[in-house]
Amino acid sequence: MRREEPGSRSAKLLYRPVGLVSSMVAGLVAGQVFQQVWKRTHPGSPDDAPRPLESEYELTEVLVAAAVQGAIFATVRALVDRGGARLYQRATGDWPGD
């Protein structure tokens, strides 16, 4: 397993705007992925995933939707963050993390 070298303070500061933009992109992508997953796992349901304050859904369905959405968001964000950090390292030679 390859361990990345700790980044310098300047690399961390310079990476912040990249990290911010990549986080926003990750959120948008994760939302789209979740919508597609929800549509495919609940065919015939015209609605979006249940929200916590929608009383027509059972608590279990709301919790399942939230758990799936959270897992997808965390996975997509990790992929985007890691990819952005690797691209930054290739461009600058510095690892922006740690």
Side-chain angles (χ1 to χ4, degrees):
M1 184 160 130
R2 192 172 105 177
R3 174 109 170 106
E4 303 298 342
E5 293 181 24
S8 68
R9 183 178 171 101
S10 62
K12 290 178 187 179
L13 288 174
L14 291 172
Y15 182 72
R16 276 197 176 156
V18 174
L20 180 62
V21 170
S22 69
S23 290
M24 292 186 326
V25 169
L28 293 172
V29 170
Q32 293 300 314
V33 170
F34 174 68
Q35 285 181 351
Q36 292 303 314
V37 167
W38 192 259
K39 283 181 188 176
R40 291 200 169 115
T41 58
H42 291 80
S45 175
D47 300 327
D48 289 337
R51 292 183 185 83
L53 298 179
E54 292 177 337
S55 62
E56 64 268 19
Y57 297 102
E58 294 291 323
L59 177 61
T60 54
E61 193 170 9
V62 171
L63 294 177
V64 166
V68 170
Q69 187 175 26
I72 289 171
F73 179 79
T75 301
V76 169
R77 180 154 183 221
L79 287 169
V80 170
D81 285 349
R82 189 65 174 213
R86 287 206 185 272
L87 287 172
Y88 183 85
Q89 183 185 31
R90 285 186 195 138
T92 65
D94 286 329
W95 181 254
D98 299 333

